[in-house]
Amino acid sequence: MPQKQDITILAIESSCDDTAAAIINNGKIRSNIVSSQQVHEQYGGVVPELASRAHQQHIVPVVDAALKEAGVTKHDLDAVSFTQGPGLLGSLMVGANFAKSLALGLNIPLIGVNHLDAHVLAHFIDGNNPRFPFICLLVSGGHTQLIKVNSPSDFEILGKTRDDAAGEAFDKTAKMLGLPYPGGPVLDKLAQNGDRGRFKFPDSRVEALDFSFSGLKTAVLYFIRDEEKKDANFVEQNLNDICASIQHTIVSYLMRKLKKAVKETGIKEVAIAGGVSANSGLRAAVTELANKHHWKVHIPELEYCTDNAAMIAQTAHFQFLEKNFLTQEAVPFARIAK
Ligand code: KG4
Ligand code: ZN
């Protein structure tokens, strides 16, 4: 059981289709529970209305499980934190309402966490300690950014996507190949048995450190259409090679931009974060670049790549130390999505 001077925070994440809760005690994660929603699979993507309903069903048991696993009760909590945005509004509202009510009932501070900050600050979980400033390539289902991280609360966006996110590029091309949602991890698995040099797809010519993935999406669409005109079984018979080639195109493009960011800033402390940082090709490529160019590289544990509440808890811990709290009145639900 924690001592009274301890800082114990409950964190709730409900921005998309995972209901998650975690407990952090004095900066150490004590529990990290995720309940993933299967209901969306049959629709080939997240259905917002079904997501918020599922969050309502899962949030109490998930929070209970997080408290239990950490060996604490709600009376040991010093603050309640939640994902404030970005995300699906209905889903965010479930977490925000729950956190707000619990904090009010216990008369303890309420902490609103930005989901993207949390993906980046997941690198500080379990005593890991990247040196500031570091360059973080944030690649998730909704965002793709290159960030210069100056401190836990000072992020400089160096570049971002102009259309789709890297995760969407994986999911949408996977869908074209007939793979189930979310396609990213499935495509990754198939790619591991494929020849990544077999098919060539263009990447984008967007300038500077910005990204664009819409050209790749169109190229894959036409490629499949043209090849299937000649042979109806083309995709089925060449699936692993197509997956490997798509993955290689996305990963090489991300690495080219990351290299450029390192060159321009002179910062050789580098991290990757977000769901796509679970990708085996990306993890291998960034490790290879780091060895070649003598970067210090930070790759998150797999459980901290995709959405989780431990990263919200870690960020909330930093915000607690800075007394960065929300007042109860400061959470008008219509404006919670940043
Ligand atoms: O960070 P995240 O869990 O949720 C958002 O904040 O969006 O990222 C989810 C994204 C999805 O697009 C998913 O397909 C992708 O991360 N993803 C992967 C892999 N695992 C998750 N993409 C490629 N390879 C993977 N192994
Ligand atoms: Zn995320």
Side-chain angles (χ1 to χ4, degrees):
M1 288 287 281
Q3 304 296 305
K4 197 56 211 148
Q5 69 269 28
D6 286 353
I7 305 168
T8 304
I9 305 171
L10 165 68
I12 293 163
E13 152 64 35
S14 71
S15 64
C16 191
D17 60 343
D18 293 311
T19 317
I23 298 289
I24 190 165
N25 170 244
N26 282 342
K28 234 179 152 344
I29 299 296
R30 298 293 180 191
S31 62
N32 182 32
I33 309 288
V34 185
S35 165
S36 299
Q37 304 176 359
Q38 311 304 334
V39 63
H40 309 286
E41 237 176 77
Q42 58 189 302
Y43 300 103
V46 177
V47 182
E49 179 56 31
L50 295 179
S52 41
R53 276 192 230 166
H55 283 306
Q56 274 171 337
Q57 284 165 1
H58 296 165
I59 195 155
V60 172
V62 165
V63 168
D64 271 347
L67 289 168
K68 196 163 168 213
E69 194 174 303
V72 297
T73 75
K74 61 182 188 293
H75 301 291
D76 296 310
L77 298 177
D78 298 291
V80 181
S81 62
F82 66 101
T83 302
Q84 209 180 3
L88 301 171
L89 193 60
S91 294
L92 289 166
M93 274 176 67
V94 177
N97 271 315
F98 186 93
K100 185 176 176 174
S101 311
L102 188 59
L104 186 66
L106 295 169
N107 195 26
I108 54 175
L110 181 65
I111 301 175
V113 171
N114 178 289
H115 182 87
L116 302 181
D117 294 1
H119 269 303
V120 175
L121 296 176
H123 281 289
F124 291 85
I125 292 173
D126 293 341
N128 191 12
N129 224 347
R131 270 218 334 253
F132 296 110
F134 63 93
I135 301 294
C136 187
L137 172 68
L138 170 64
V139 273
S140 74
H143 295 81
T144 298
Q145 296 180 342
L146 270 164
I147 307 166
K148 180 169 168 245
V149 187
N150 296 317
S151 80
S153 56
D154 181 6
F155 288 31
E156 241 177 283
I157 312 282
L158 304 176
K160 58 181 187 321
T161 184
R162 297 196 181 165
D163 39 57
D164 286 346
E168 280 174 296
F170 273 106
D171 294 341
K172 288 179 179 174
T173 50
K175 195 172 180 176
M176 292 174 201
L177 296 170
L179 304 179
Y181 181 86
V186 185
L187 192 147
D188 182 3
K189 207 155 173 227
L190 295 170
Q192 287 170 33
N193 296 315
D195 171 3
R196 67 183 196 182
R198 170 109 183 268
F199 303 110
K200 298 273 176 265
F201 298 109
D203 60 21
S204 149
R205 296 287 130 210
V206 169
E207 290 302 304
L209 295 173
D210 279 349
F211 301 86
S212 165
F213 291 98
S214 57
L216 171 67
K217 203 173 56 182
T218 313
V220 172
L221 184 73
Y222 289 154
F223 170 77
I224 295 172
R225 191 196 58 185
D226 294 346
E227 293 298 333
E228 289 213 316
K229 258 189 217 156
K230 292 181 250 166
D231 172 5
N233 298 321
F234 177 80
V235 166
E236 200 186 322
Q237 281 167 0
N238 297 282
L239 192 57
N240 292 350
D241 291 349
I242 303 172
C243 288
S245 302
I246 293 173
Q247 179 166 303
H248 182 59
T249 308
I250 297 173
V251 169
S252 313
Y253 182 50
L254 292 171
M255 290 303 97
R256 191 150 56 77
K257 296 284 179 169
L258 181 60
K259 239 174 18 191
K260 192 169 160 67
V262 168
K263 197 166 170 212
E264 282 181 13
T265 58
I267 297 168
K268 290 189 161 193
E269 186 106 3
V270 172
I272 56 172
V276 179
S277 64
N279 183 266
S280 61
L282 178 59
R283 294 167 86 88
V286 79
T287 306
E288 197 184 313
L289 273 186
N291 290 338
K292 189 166 164 203
H293 298 288
H294 309 291
W295 300 348
K296 175 136 179 42
V297 76
H298 302 270
I299 299 175
E301 298 286 331
L302 284 177
E303 69 173 314
Y304 302 137
C305 292
T306 44
D307 288 349
N308 65 89
M311 68 184 195
I312 306 298
Q314 183 66 50
T315 309
H317 179 76
F318 285 128
Q319 290 185 211
F320 188 97
L321 298 178
E322 290 182 359
K323 296 200 171 14
N324 182 359
F325 303 136
L326 292 171
T327 61
Q328 285 282 337
E329 297 71 36
V331 199
F333 295 123
R335 287 201 283 119
I336 54 176
K338 281 200 222 171

